[in-house]
Amino acid sequence: MITTTTSKEINLTQLDKELGGFGLCMNEENPNEKIIGIADESSLTLAKLVDGITAHIAVFTEPTVAEKLASVGLSIEELKAALGGN
């Protein structure tokens, strides 16, 4: 696996989209040197990854209630029904 390290704040999902969605993974055990790797089947190069990290400005948004519920397979309507609401 091709990897590089960075101390920069990274939104991995956002960075992956910015680079074309080729597949990235990250190990954040050391916040000063996050390891970012390119998925084995990806055609992304190390040079493009490094350029992408350099240009990347991480944006974090708080997920909506509907998005949080969807992450566990529920909708607002299903939650209301389970709680006996209308």
Side-chain angles (χ1 to χ4, degrees):
M1 175 185 288
I2 297 171
T3 64
T4 189
T5 59
T6 184
S7 60
K8 193 171 183 179
E9 189 70 34
I10 299 291
N11 178 328
L12 192 63
T13 302
Q14 176 191 344
L15 177 61
D16 189 42
K17 287 179 185 174
E18 291 168 356
L19 292 172
F22 290 104
L24 300 176
C25 57
M26 183 166 58
N27 179 338
E28 296 183 82
E29 288 182 22
N30 179 349
N32 294 322
E33 290 193 19
K34 298 173 192 86
I35 300 170
I36 300 176
I38 302 170
D40 289 335
E41 64 278 355
S42 176
S43 61
L44 189 63
T45 65
L46 178 59
K48 287 186 180 186
L49 174 60
V50 171
D51 288 347
I53 291 170
T54 300
H56 179 70
I57 299 172
V59 176
F60 295 96
T61 57
E62 186 65 32
T64 65
V65 171
E67 291 169 334
K68 288 178 182 178
L69 288 170
S71 74
V72 294
L74 290 173
S75 69
I76 291 176
E77 292 75 24
E78 291 168 325
L79 179 60
K80 285 180 182 179
L83 296 173
N86 295 331

